[in-house]
Amino acid sequence: MTKRNLFFHALFISSLLPFLVSVPWAQTTEVRIADSKGDWGYPNPWRHYPRGPGYVRMSWVLDTLIWKDEKGMVPALARSWSYDQGRKAFVFQMEPHAKWHDGRPVTPEDVAFTLAYFKKYPYGWVVLEKVERAEATGPHQVTFFLKEPYAPFLEDVGGTMPILPKHVWEKVSDPKAYEDPEAYVGSGPFVFKDFDVAKGTYLYEAFHGYYQGRPKVERLVYVKAADPIAALCSGQADLASIEPEMRPLLEQRGMKVIEDKAGWVKKLMINHRMAPFDDRRFRQALVHAISQEEIIQKAHRGRGRPASYGLLSADHDLYNPATPKYAHDPGRARQILESMGFQRGTDGFYVKDGRPFRVELLASSITVAGQPSSDRDGEVIRHQLEAVGIRVDLRNMEQPTTDAKVKNWDFQLAVSGHGGIMGDPKILNEMISEEYAAGSVNSARFQANKELLDLLDAQLREMDPDRRKAMVYRIQEIFAQELPSICLYYPETLSAYNPNKGIRWFYTKGGISKGIPIPQNKLALIR
Amino acid sequence: MGKHSGLTRAKVGHLFTFGLAAWVLICLSYALPRLMPGDFVTAMFASSHVSLTQEQESQARDYFKREEGFATYLLRLLRLDWGRSYALSQPVSSLIFQALPWTMLLAGGAHLIASLLGFVIGVEAAWRRNSRTEKTLVGAMTFMEGVPEMALAVVILGLFAFQLHWFPTAGAQTPYAQLSLGGRLADMAHHLALPMTTLILSYFPGNFLLARNSMVMVLGEEFILTARAKGLPERRVRYHHAARNALLPVVTRFGLRLAFMVTGVVVVETIFSYPGLGTLLFNAIRSRDLPLIQGVVLFSSAAVLAVNLALELLYARIDPRAGHAY
């Protein structure tokens, strides 16, 4: 090569450099996510907090067989899957190129081991009582044998159970206390590097051998910020959950705002084990007295939608449009109360059996998708109930205190809320029946309607989508008639991100895993 | 001899009182967290996506209750074992010592600066009593003393971080920034500036007013007149004779404030997302993490006790008359 050629080659290559560094992947080597709490535990099944943000922090490290994107289920460690009705078995064809972070291949034996290990050392997120066993049935095939048909299997197990490396965990007999760095070896797109408990920060680094492709960023960092919006505006973070009223400001500053479907519901919990709340007529009087629209307008400046009394929103594939509705009708509420023997006192408030009738309403600030959310609903509900003549003692308490009182049935009415309502309709079982969620404070734990309980059991066993849909429809109807708890509204759930990073964050259809309404889907950093 | 043995007996008695107080604190650190309504399993799983069945709930409760007795707690303390956090599955002592340096840096630093500034400016103001500067300072500090820490923090954060973008809005350093040692120190100072300024502005007025008032009282004493009559230089009279005697209440305040720094900085730590013992305690209470709550409570009460003991020893050095209290 002559000196002149060398000169032109060098000139050509140096001219290309600016273009090379301006492509998105070259610019984006790090992404920062802001969170107001910071501390969600260590990212493995036994050490993360049992809340959505804790699971999401683990999901960067550990993959599942199936995952979800904005349209629904997509392959992950399993390339494909099918249900064998005769054998009551789910068969998964595994991804042959998947590797653990230490370079070893992910095998069907790892999957079978994971199931057996979780049966021995239970992990609350995965309910395995319907699964008999799992076997490696081929070099890249694993089969799960069920004890009985179980419709939520794909979401509950396939899409939620993190697959563990057998060579790490087979020697561990106390997983809760296992602190070795190997406890974070996974097959996910990022390698866990650090969690600073004091600062509430996390560091992950890209796993270059990831079977779905190299992640778009080299480092993923979680930063703790009391006000995630400020962190976003000041450039300290690239993605954060936001309050709806901040939307115009953030859009003005060039942020991209994304909105989730109704994956979270605010509810009025009712102690239906004590009189007069145990009478369905009284609960129906309450629902006529409460205006969902007014709560949304007055307490949330219109940022939300009235909830279906059957729990599932119109965004859900199995929402029943014929679910009973109750108009805001104070007159009807009074009529019902008076038919039950309540009498108006001279002060306009009801008396029962000659004594003033009062109810206690508990309210507290609630964490929504990992962010604390102040509560003004209690005040509006108190006003609405007093408008029909029910005297209300409103008590604002710290959330764990309210939760403890609800859990122990030491309450009358309480404002509460939960997510997960965009996922599998198994959420109906958990939010209605004590058998599925005795430990939950959001569950109505209502056992008084046999048809409802039978349907809840049956819908889990029904593998035919159409027949299951009919059952889920009927469950919503009965739930809305019985009203063991009253669904109030679905708040707007928004996040904002910096689009200049070259990453398009999105909300997952049905929520991550079991319905987590957080837009931190690992696929946003892969595809 | 008799006087000496009496003194020793008094000191032993004094130490015994401290020991008794330590015992009460140990009992309280165990009992108080357990008087709170709610428990760890309910707090952790209440609003979780995990819906526990009756059996799972009982198993979880049993797991976390297995080493909960008071006797176990005492035996562990004797072995200097503070237990493990339920939520983080880590030794409580390690969590406390990870958070402590940040609290010391923020709260300790702010106390020290605010006390020194308050003392010096208070002394100077008292020396210039009735001047326009002194009157303005007293008026301004009386007003500042009434401004809540939270309001101050919000204003400072809003102005210097949100509006002017001069300082970061949260944290103690840019997480995982790849910086040189000098760069890291500068980054830490940059993050420390706003929370520390808030605390200094919050503590300074009280220190100033206390030092100024104490100095004004001392300046009226006869020995100051004597010192002046002896023709001593003004600076020597001001600091060696007067200020030294005005120091005692300022030291007391410094000690007490320092002892309460764990709980005293919760608000500022929370608003600026600054790490520290306050944040650790706040999160532990929210999740009803009993071993961690009792650990932080015991640590901070032990700090109160230790500071009180240290103050008594310091008093004797600053003012020999205090030594005769025994």
Side-chain angles (χ1 to χ4, degrees), chain B residues 45-65:
Chain B
F45 290 91
S47 301
S48 165
H49 285 75
V50 177
S51 296
L52 297 181
T53 60
Q54 194 87 55
E55 192 190 349
Q56 288 170 322
E57 194 191 4
S58 307
Q59 280 172 355
R61 238 175 258 285
D62 290 345
Y63 182 86
F64 291 113
K65 270 188 181 165

Side-chain angles (χ1 to χ4, degrees), chain A residues 307-428:
Chain A
S308 159
Y309 295 110
L311 189 71
L312 302 184
S313 81
D315 294 335
H316 198 287
D317 291 340
L318 298 184
Y319 164 71
N320 178 2
T323 302
K325 295 174 178 62
Y326 298 88
H328 175 228
D329 187 349
R332 176 78 187 123
R334 284 187 206 103
Q335 201 179 8
I336 295 172
L337 291 172
E338 280 156 28
S339 73
M340 291 176 67
F342 287 89
Q343 292 169 327
R344 298 288 283 270
T346 49
D347 57 359
F349 289 102
Y350 280 108
V351 290
K352 179 86 166 129
D353 304 325
R355 283 184 300 189
F357 178 69
R358 317 177 72 95
V359 299
E360 187 187 64
L361 172 63
L362 308 181
S364 50
S365 292
I366 291 179
T367 305
V368 182
Q371 304 298 330
S373 164
S374 60
D375 192 286
R376 295 178 287 267
D377 303 340
E379 194 57 45
V380 181
I381 294 171
R382 182 181 69 84
H383 177 76
Q384 291 175 349
L385 295 184
E386 292 199 338
V388 298
I390 299 172
R391 178 88 73 186
V392 176
D393 296 322
L394 178 65
R395 305 247 186 276
N396 279 294
M397 292 176 165
E398 182 210 17
Q399 192 185 352
T401 307
T402 303
D403 288 346
K405 287 176 93 64
V406 172
K407 174 75 189 57
N408 298 320
W409 297 100
D410 178 20
F411 79 110
Q412 291 180 322
L413 298 174
V415 181
S416 186
H418 61 87
I421 59 166
M422 273 303 290
D424 189 276
K426 186 191 171 195
I427 189 73
L428 289 162

Side-chain angles (χ1 to χ4, degrees), chain A residues 39-167:
Chain A
D39 157 24
W40 293 100
Y42 288 84
N44 88 19
W46 293 277
R47 302 192 76 195
H48 76 74
Y49 288 7
R51 304 280 178 97
Y55 183 91
V56 170
R57 273 158 179 72
M58 181 189 72
S59 73
W60 301 107
V61 179
L62 292 166
D63 263 12
T64 48
L65 289 169
I66 299 169
W67 197 242
K68 284 189 276 185
D69 65 8
E70 57 203 316
K71 291 179 185 154
M73 286 183 180
V74 290
L77 283 172
R79 277 184 163 179
S80 61
W81 54 92
S82 58
Y83 179 60
D84 181 338
Q85 199 161 356
R87 291 193 297 161
K88 289 185 289 187
F90 276 95
V91 183
F92 291 90
Q93 302 302 327
M94 300 275 297
E95 168 60 55
H97 304 299
K99 279 189 224 158
W100 298 109
H101 295 159
D102 57 14
R104 297 198 196 194
V106 179
T107 64
E109 283 77 15
D110 285 314
V111 181
F113 166 80
T114 301
L115 179 83
Y117 199 73
F118 279 136
K119 274 184 169 281
K120 194 170 177 186
Y121 304 106
Y123 170 48
W125 285 73
V126 187
V127 180
L128 296 173
E129 59 191 32
K130 308 287 186 201
V131 185
E132 179 75 49
R133 68 187 194 284
E135 273 177 25
T137 44
H140 300 297
Q141 189 188 72
V142 64
T143 304
F144 284 74
F145 297 94
L146 308 185
K147 290 176 187 165
E148 61 181 71
Y150 185 56
F153 178 86
L154 285 179
E155 182 169 294
D156 227 23
V157 181
T160 297
M161 185 174 80
I163 304 302
L164 304 172
K166 182 182 175 187
H167 60 279

Side-chain angles (χ1 to χ4, degrees), chain A residues 258-304:
Chain A
I258 47 174
E259 186 173 350
D260 197 10
K261 307 268 189 200
W264 205 93
V265 63
K266 197 73 172 272
K267 294 202 301 203
L268 182 68
M269 302 301 294
I270 302 172
N271 187 346
H272 49 76
R273 292 191 177 181
M274 66 187 295
F277 306 97
D278 57 349
D279 190 322
R280 186 167 75 176
R281 292 173 300 164
F282 185 82
R283 301 195 292 267
Q284 288 178 344
L286 287 180
V287 83
H288 278 299
I290 292 170
S291 163
Q292 296 171 310
E293 199 59 59
E294 190 185 31
I295 297 171
I296 296 165
Q297 291 303 327
K298 288 191 172 165
H300 303 277
R301 297 176 199 151
R303 309 285 190 176

Side-chain angles (χ1 to χ4, degrees), chain A residues 32 37 39 42 47 49-52 124-125 176 179 194-199 201-203 219 221 223-227 230-231 234 236 398-401 403-404 407 420 430 435-439 441-442 514-517, chain B residues 37-38 42-54 57 59 61 63 84 87-91 95 98-99 102 162 165 168-178 191 270-271 273 275-276 279 283 285-286 288:
Chain A
R32 290 178 175 250
K37 186 173 181 293
D39 157 24
Y42 288 84
R47 302 192 76 195
Y49 288 7
R51 304 280 178 97
W125 285 73
K176 279 194 176 97
E179 292 178 36
D194 185 56
F195 166 40
D196 189 318
V197 182
K199 299 194 196 102
T201 53
Y202 291 77
L203 173 66
R219 304 204 317 167
V221 176
V223 298
K224 183 183 172 187
D227 187 345
S234 63
Q236 282 181 283
E398 182 210 17
Q399 192 185 352
T401 307
D403 288 346
K407 174 75 189 57
E430 292 170 350
E435 279 170 41
Y436 295 89
V441 298
N442 298 311
K514 298 171 89 171
I516 303 167
Chain B
T42 305
M44 267 301 194
F45 290 91
S47 301
S48 165
H49 285 75
V50 177
S51 296
L52 297 181
T53 60
Q54 194 87 55
E57 194 191 4
Q59 280 172 355
R61 238 175 258 285
Y63 182 86
R84 289 177 79 84
L88 291 156
S89 305
Q90 261 195 324
L95 292 170
Q98 282 177 56
W102 298 105
F162 295 167
H165 300 291
T169 55
Q173 56 189 144
T174 307
Y176 310 110
Q178 290 151 325
H191 282 78
T270 306
I271 291 177
S273 304
T279 307
N283 286 340
I285 290 173
R286 280 206 302 192
R288 300 295 192 262

Side-chain angles (χ1 to χ4, degrees), chain B residues 112-123:
Chain B
L112 198 65
I113 295 170
S115 297
L116 285 174
L117 278 179
F119 180 68
V120 172
I121 299 173
V123 164

